[in-house]
Amino acid sequence: MTNSVPSLTLNNGVPIPQLGFGVFLIPPDETATAVTTALEAGYRLIDTAQGYRNEQGVGEAIARSDVSREEIFITTKLVNGQHGYDQALAAFDESMKRLGTDVLDLFLIHWPLPMFDKYVETWRALEQLLADGRVRSIGVSNFEIEHLQRLANETDITPALNQVELHPEFPQEELRAYHDSHGILTESWGPLGQSKGLLDDARVVEIAKKNERTAAQIVLRWHIQAGNVVIPKSITPHRIEENINIFDFELDETDMEPIAQLNVGRRLGPHPNAFDLV
Ligand code: NAD
């Protein structure tokens, strides 16, 4: 297997593979098969969430894999309906049963839900899980700068990572600068633009042709060179393979520059301040 994915280091010293496999919208009964394909292709980070309802499939694939549990980095996320100290601890226990693991690698608050104002209290539950050794690292998702600042002012531990919508059309430059100056890694969700046109953009297609790669590989390589952790999703075996096969080439300045021009500030998902689905 030549797909050797580099590691980055979280702010508490824990290593994290820079590329992983996202399982959002993979139906529960197809998840174990997809994760097995990903593990065989060389992926060692699996990104799930309580809200995806497929943690069990992730756990099944890991249990039956030849790859040892210690080599696999599992991320899951607290579902929106379980904000609050006790609720978060109880929901974590349920995830661990479904995933079939004793210690999780990374637990995230999925959305900040500022309208309910419980993310600070919820973060304290994650701090407790870390102190108890139930999780190796803790982080957040879809947090804006103002939410990160509030955690900095009112709690003890800086999130290891913030998983946010990020792709060339929405590169999140201001948030990334905040992350960089506070020791928070940036993880990109929707990295391929969720099949909404990015991969068909003539400029991306042109760079792909020049490098004899696919458009998806060009965009994923851009994330890697930007220093993001990236978690593309696919259920198609040849795409799962293609998406990890990006560590034997580099984009040069003449490739990176036109990709930077794709920034139109276009969010595909909801704004974190408005998203209140529980
Ligand atoms: P993505 O940008 O990874 O797009 C996935 C889609 O791109 C696939 O369904 C497929 O249609 C297409 N695709 C994949 N590989 C391709 C290839 N090689 N060539 C052509 N098309 C290809 O979007 P996503 O799934 O939304 O995001 C990735 C992961 O991020 C998710 O699976 C999930 O783990 C995570 N995520 C997190 C949040 C959050 O709120 N934290 C939100 C959305 C997604």
Side-chain angles (χ1 to χ4, degrees), residues 17 45 51 74 106 119 175 193 225 232 234 250 275:
L45 185 173
I74 310 175
L106 177 63
Y119 64 86
L175 184 60
Q225 291 183 210
S234 175
E250 264 183 48
F275 191 67

PDB file of all heavy atoms in Angstrom, residues 17 45 51 74 106 119 175 193 225 232 234 250 275:
ATOM      1  N   PRO A  17      -4.148  11.686  11.425  1.00  0.00           N
ATOM      2  CA  PRO A  17      -3.890  11.589   9.985  1.00  0.00           C
ATOM      3  C   PRO A  17      -4.454  12.824   9.271  1.00  0.00           C
ATOM      4  O   PRO A  17      -5.534  13.301   9.624  1.00  0.00           O
ATOM      5  CB  PRO A  17      -4.650  10.324   9.568  1.00  0.00           C
ATOM      6  CG  PRO A  17      -4.855   9.539  10.822  1.00  0.00           C
ATOM      7  CD  PRO A  17      -4.969  10.568  11.915  1.00  0.00           C
ATOM      8  N   LEU A  45      -8.312   7.411   9.470  1.00  0.00           N
ATOM      9  CA  LEU A  45      -9.173   8.316  10.245  1.00  0.00           C
ATOM     10  C   LEU A  45     -10.588   8.138   9.709  1.00  0.00           C
ATOM     11  O   LEU A  45     -10.815   8.242   8.499  1.00  0.00           O
ATOM     12  CB  LEU A  45      -8.721   9.769  10.052  1.00  0.00           C
ATOM     13  CG  LEU A  45      -9.395  10.893  10.861  1.00  0.00           C
ATOM     14  CD1 LEU A  45      -8.649  12.213  10.631  1.00  0.00           C
ATOM     15  CD2 LEU A  45     -10.848  11.127  10.579  1.00  0.00           C
ATOM     16  N   GLY A  51     -25.404  12.039  14.967  1.00  0.00           N
ATOM     17  CA  GLY A  51     -26.502  12.418  14.081  1.00  0.00           C
ATOM     18  C   GLY A  51     -26.516  11.673  12.756  1.00  0.00           C
ATOM     19  O   GLY A  51     -27.534  11.684  12.059  1.00  0.00           O
ATOM     20  N   ILE A  74     -10.611   7.513  15.454  1.00  0.00           N
ATOM     21  CA  ILE A  74     -12.074   7.640  15.295  1.00  0.00           C
ATOM     22  C   ILE A  74     -12.531   8.989  15.851  1.00  0.00           C
ATOM     23  O   ILE A  74     -12.253   9.325  17.009  1.00  0.00           O
ATOM     24  CB  ILE A  74     -12.837   6.538  16.054  1.00  0.00           C
ATOM     25  CG1 ILE A  74     -12.293   5.147  15.732  1.00  0.00           C
ATOM     26  CG2 ILE A  74     -14.332   6.606  15.724  1.00  0.00           C
ATOM     27  CD1 ILE A  74     -12.958   4.033  16.555  1.00  0.00           C
ATOM     28  N   LEU A 106     -11.261  11.363  19.166  1.00  0.00           N
ATOM     29  CA  LEU A 106     -11.647  12.783  19.111  1.00  0.00           C
ATOM     30  C   LEU A 106     -13.159  12.904  19.219  1.00  0.00           C
ATOM     31  O   LEU A 106     -13.898  12.256  18.463  1.00  0.00           O
ATOM     32  CB  LEU A 106     -11.164  13.390  17.774  1.00  0.00           C
ATOM     33  CG  LEU A 106     -11.524  14.845  17.499  1.00  0.00           C
ATOM     34  CD1 LEU A 106     -10.878  15.786  18.517  1.00  0.00           C
ATOM     35  CD2 LEU A 106     -11.061  15.251  16.084  1.00  0.00           C
ATOM     36  N   TYR A 119     -23.351  25.751  24.843  1.00  0.00           N
ATOM     37  CA  TYR A 119     -22.123  25.114  24.371  1.00  0.00           C
ATOM     38  C   TYR A 119     -20.966  25.236  25.366  1.00  0.00           C
ATOM     39  O   TYR A 119     -20.078  24.390  25.383  1.00  0.00           O
ATOM     40  CB  TYR A 119     -21.743  25.574  22.954  1.00  0.00           C
ATOM     41  CG  TYR A 119     -21.390  27.032  22.782  1.00  0.00           C
ATOM     42  CD1 TYR A 119     -20.090  27.490  23.005  1.00  0.00           C
ATOM     43  CD2 TYR A 119     -22.338  27.948  22.349  1.00  0.00           C
ATOM     44  CE1 TYR A 119     -19.758  28.822  22.813  1.00  0.00           C
ATOM     45  CE2 TYR A 119     -22.024  29.276  22.156  1.00  0.00           C
ATOM     46  CZ  TYR A 119     -20.738  29.714  22.394  1.00  0.00           C
ATOM     47  OH  TYR A 119     -20.416  31.037  22.211  1.00  0.00           O
ATOM     48  N   LEU A 175     -11.191  32.650   9.774  1.00  0.00           N
ATOM     49  CA  LEU A 175     -11.289  31.623  10.811  1.00  0.00           C
ATOM     50  C   LEU A 175      -9.982  30.828  10.888  1.00  0.00           C
ATOM     51  O   LEU A 175      -9.479  30.541  11.980  1.00  0.00           O
ATOM     52  CB  LEU A 175     -12.480  30.701  10.500  1.00  0.00           C
ATOM     53  CG  LEU A 175     -12.807  29.623  11.518  1.00  0.00           C
ATOM     54  CD1 LEU A 175     -13.130  30.229  12.884  1.00  0.00           C
ATOM     55  CD2 LEU A 175     -13.995  28.771  11.037  1.00  0.00           C
ATOM     56  N   GLY A 193     -16.794  20.184  -2.133  1.00  0.00           N
ATOM     57  CA  GLY A 193     -17.920  21.029  -2.517  1.00  0.00           C
ATOM     58  C   GLY A 193     -19.204  20.235  -2.675  1.00  0.00           C
ATOM     59  O   GLY A 193     -20.144  20.692  -3.354  1.00  0.00           O
ATOM     60  N   GLN A 225      -2.103  20.886   1.022  1.00  0.00           N
ATOM     61  CA  GLN A 225      -1.029  21.897   0.966  1.00  0.00           C
ATOM     62  C   GLN A 225      -1.390  23.147   1.765  1.00  0.00           C
ATOM     63  O   GLN A 225      -0.513  23.893   2.180  1.00  0.00           O
ATOM     64  CB  GLN A 225      -0.666  22.215  -0.491  1.00  0.00           C
ATOM     65  CG  GLN A 225       0.023  21.020  -1.134  1.00  0.00           C
ATOM     66  CD  GLN A 225       0.494  21.222  -2.567  1.00  0.00           C
ATOM     67  OE1 GLN A 225       0.534  20.268  -3.329  1.00  0.00           O
ATOM     68  NE2 GLN A 225       0.866  22.436  -2.963  1.00  0.00           N
ATOM     69  N   PRO A 232     -12.874  13.612   2.878  1.00  0.00           N
ATOM     70  CA  PRO A 232     -13.832  13.399   1.794  1.00  0.00           C
ATOM     71  C   PRO A 232     -14.678  12.153   2.019  1.00  0.00           C
ATOM     72  O   PRO A 232     -14.240  11.202   2.664  1.00  0.00           O
ATOM     73  CB  PRO A 232     -12.932  13.215   0.566  1.00  0.00           C
ATOM     74  CG  PRO A 232     -11.645  12.686   1.128  1.00  0.00           C
ATOM     75  CD  PRO A 232     -11.488  13.380   2.457  1.00  0.00           C
ATOM     76  N   SER A 234     -17.165   9.170   0.085  1.00  0.00           N
ATOM     77  CA  SER A 234     -17.672   8.508  -1.110  1.00  0.00           C
ATOM     78  C   SER A 234     -18.085   7.099  -0.712  1.00  0.00           C
ATOM     79  O   SER A 234     -17.552   6.560   0.249  1.00  0.00           O
ATOM     80  CB  SER A 234     -16.585   8.444  -2.197  1.00  0.00           C
ATOM     81  OG  SER A 234     -17.074   7.706  -3.293  1.00  0.00           O
ATOM     82  N   GLU A 250       2.556  17.130  -6.234  1.00  0.00           N
ATOM     83  CA  GLU A 250       2.343  18.423  -5.555  1.00  0.00           C
ATOM     84  C   GLU A 250       1.825  19.433  -6.541  1.00  0.00           C
ATOM     85  O   GLU A 250       2.193  19.405  -7.717  1.00  0.00           O
ATOM     86  CB  GLU A 250       3.688  18.936  -5.012  1.00  0.00           C
ATOM     87  CG  GLU A 250       3.912  18.596  -3.565  1.00  0.00           C
ATOM     88  CD  GLU A 250       5.196  19.179  -3.035  1.00  0.00           C
ATOM     89  OE1 GLU A 250       5.451  20.382  -3.252  1.00  0.00           O
ATOM     90  OE2 GLU A 250       5.944  18.403  -2.403  1.00  0.00           O
ATOM     91  N   PHE A 275     -28.208  27.835  12.501  1.00  0.00           N
ATOM     92  CA  PHE A 275     -28.595  26.416  12.479  1.00  0.00           C
ATOM     93  C   PHE A 275     -29.070  25.983  13.865  1.00  0.00           C
ATOM     94  O   PHE A 275     -28.297  25.975  14.820  1.00  0.00           O
ATOM     95  CB  PHE A 275     -27.399  25.570  12.036  1.00  0.00           C
ATOM     96  CG  PHE A 275     -27.753  24.147  11.717  1.00  0.00           C
ATOM     97  CD1 PHE A 275     -28.560  23.833  10.631  1.00  0.00           C
ATOM     98  CD2 PHE A 275     -27.283  23.107  12.513  1.00  0.00           C
ATOM     99  CE1 PHE A 275     -28.880  22.520  10.325  1.00  0.00           C
ATOM    100  CE2 PHE A 275     -27.609  21.782  12.215  1.00  0.00           C
ATOM    101  CZ  PHE A 275     -28.400  21.497  11.127  1.00  0.00           C
TER     102      PHE A 275
END
